[in-house]
Amino acid sequence: MPVTFFNPAAPDGLLDEMWGVQSANPSISRERAQALKSDGDEGASFLYGEKETRTINAKCMEGTADQLVLPKVGTILQEGSGDTAKFWHVDSVTLTYSATDWPTIEVQIHRHAEGNSHAISGSAGNHRTYSFPANVLATLKGGKGVPQGAAGLSFSDLSVGISQLSLALTANHVEAPYVGEPPHIPASDNHDGTLTVTCETVGQATPTVAQGFDYDQTETSANTSNTSNDDASHTYVMHLAHD
């Protein structure tokens, strides 16, 4: 098999054209069943439950006026057609802003080699989806650096500021037990979406949260040093209903 270069790709429909794919890393795992002999050593085994996970990283180099278009967790995507079609489930979406870069996004997806629990047609494919809340999404713009008021967080004191901001959208993905031969998962769905916002600051002041952003602040950690400036990390959580 030839070695190829410069060819990361995402399934069609996953990312808006504003996103340039930087990497797409697949990983395949399998379950293993075994039976032991009476002397305690293995006598037989078989593999089942092949699962492919793909982590896709992309960057947006669009202008500052453009609102970011972000995937929904729980979306089902079809790659290919016919007997070779692959059905991907979107597991998580993490958006990261940095003061020294453009917005980046990491999307994790997975599929099963056997069964049709993620098929687009039929009841097995009716997965609940979760989106970034409208008021949060309205603050997420393109361009370099961290947009003022992104995710509803800001500072009035110019001596402190946000060096990095990440927003992770997830949901609990529940899969039914294996059935059939070969063993496969017949159905799955999602519940209890969560948006986790992590704000890294220069200085230890706490960001102001705009009205209407219903976060619970779950963690604050600070750092002081004799070789660097003071900084802090602030974590906020918001639980979401399905679309």
Side-chain angles (χ1 to χ4, degrees):
M1 182 177 180
V3 175
T4 59
F5 293 81
F6 322 126
N7 62 351
D12 289 343
L14 177 62
L15 296 176
D16 185 84
E17 62 183 8
M18 68 170 52
W19 296 100
V21 177
Q22 308 294 298
S23 63
N25 304 321
S27 175
I28 295 177
S29 62
R30 301 173 182 87
E31 304 286 343
R32 186 178 190 273
Q34 68 167 174
L36 301 182
K37 297 181 295 184
S38 60
D39 64 2
D41 293 334
E42 183 174 274
S45 67
F46 68 89
L47 297 175
Y48 68 97
E50 180 178 312
K51 177 181 177 180
E52 181 177 356
T53 302
R54 193 182 296 181
T55 301
I56 298 162
N57 290 281
K59 186 173 290 191
C60 175
M61 292 164 279
E62 299 287 337
T64 57
D66 297 320
Q67 181 173 302
L68 299 181
V69 180
L70 301 170
K72 298 179 179 183
V73 167
T75 299
I76 305 297
L77 301 164
Q78 181 173 338
E79 187 176 45
S81 59
D83 293 338
T84 61
K86 300 177 180 180
F87 295 97
W88 295 95
H89 176 274
V90 178
D91 301 327
S92 66
V93 178
T94 301
L95 171 68
T96 300
Y97 285 109
S98 170
T100 59
D101 205 349
W102 291 274
T104 60
I105 190 174
E106 178 183 283
V107 184
Q108 291 197 346
I109 60 178
H110 82 271
R111 73 175 188 91
H112 300 283
E114 302 290 346
N116 64 348
S117 66
H118 298 157
I120 292 175
S121 61
S123 60
N126 292 335
H127 288 69
R128 299 198 295 188
T129 62
Y130 293 83
S131 305
F132 286 84
N135 62 341
V136 175
L137 188 60
T139 69
L140 305 181
K141 308 292 185 180
K144 299 183 291 292
V146 184
Q148 178 66 22
L153 305 180
S154 63
F155 288 98
S156 58
D157 184 353
L158 295 180
S159 67
V160 295
I162 299 174
S163 59
Q164 183 168 296
L165 181 70
S166 70
L167 300 91
L169 179 66
T170 61
N172 291 302
H173 183 62
V174 179
E175 297 180 336
Y178 285 98
V179 298
E181 174 56 38
H184 63 275
I185 294 171
S188 58
D189 207 344
N190 305 304
H191 72 97
D192 190 21
T194 305
L195 176 64
T196 303
V197 178
T198 304
C199 178
E200 308 290 343
T201 64
V202 176
Q204 294 183 359
T206 299
T208 298
V209 180
Q211 186 175 359
F213 290 78
D214 298 324
Y215 298 122
D216 292 320
Q217 186 169 2
T218 58
E219 184 178 352
T220 298
S221 59
N223 176 65
T224 58
S225 170
N226 63 352
T227 59
S228 66
N229 59 274
D230 295 347
D231 58 44
S233 177
H234 312 270
T235 301
Y236 304 83
V237 172
M238 180 189 301
H239 283 256
L240 309 172
H242 63 278
D243 296 326

